[in-house]
Amino acid sequence: MTATLPVQHEAPPPGAAVLTGCDGSDAALWALDRAMTEAEAHHLPLYVLAVVNPSPTGYPPGMADLVQESVERLTESMADGLRRAVATVQSARTRPYAGRLALHVVLGNVVEVLLQAAEGRHTLVVGTRGNGGFGRLLLGSVSTAAVHHATCPVLVVPAPPAEGA
């Protein structure tokens, strides 16, 4: 099912939904799993958003046309990664996600795109990359920005406890 899921190259449409960002990291996969649970519990669609920022500082004049093919390959690679992330989480769940699901890959600044896409949502679900000890007290830059600036409720999903901890 997920291998053939279409990926839209625009922000999710407005309306009540659960939104989660996914960059393929372990933290994003934990957040995706929790986002599936939230969407099912509230009978809402789930939008999974990946953001590609091919040039954080911008391109010098004339360069944008030269790198267009690379940006397209990067976007398609992110779309494939998004499909694999959903398949990975689906296979690890005790029962498959049965709700409405849409995948989106958008170009832009990760924090800006995620915050804009979160406007009017039921919940934004993000992961955090705390790696234990003092690191658990810290959120990543995206989750910190979401907590401080999102206009909807934000659910921050911590890493699961390490085995034997």
Side-chain angles (χ1 to χ4, degrees), residues 6 10-11 14 25 32 37 42 53 58 89-90 92 96 112 117 122 129 131 133 137 154 158:
E10 57 191 23
S25 66
L32 175 57
T37 300
H42 297 286
N53 193 356
V89 170
Q90 283 276 43
E112 291 173 6
H122 181 273
R129 295 180 187 223
N131 292 320
L137 299 175
V154 177

Side-chain angles (χ1 to χ4, degrees), residues 21-33 78 81-82 85 88-89 126-129:
C22 188
D23 62 4
S25 66
D26 287 344
L29 297 179
W30 300 319
L32 175 57
D33 182 49
M78 185 63 89
L82 204 51
T88 297
V89 170
V126 293
T128 183
R129 295 180 187 223

Side-chain angles (χ1 to χ4, degrees), residues 102-136:
L103 308 180
H104 299 265
V105 174
V106 179
L107 292 174
N109 175 282
V110 175
V111 171
E112 291 173 6
V113 170
L114 190 61
L115 290 175
Q116 186 175 19
E119 291 180 15
R121 301 297 172 201
H122 181 273
T123 311
L124 169 61
V125 182
V126 293
T128 183
R129 295 180 187 223
N131 292 320
F134 182 71
R136 280 201 186 268

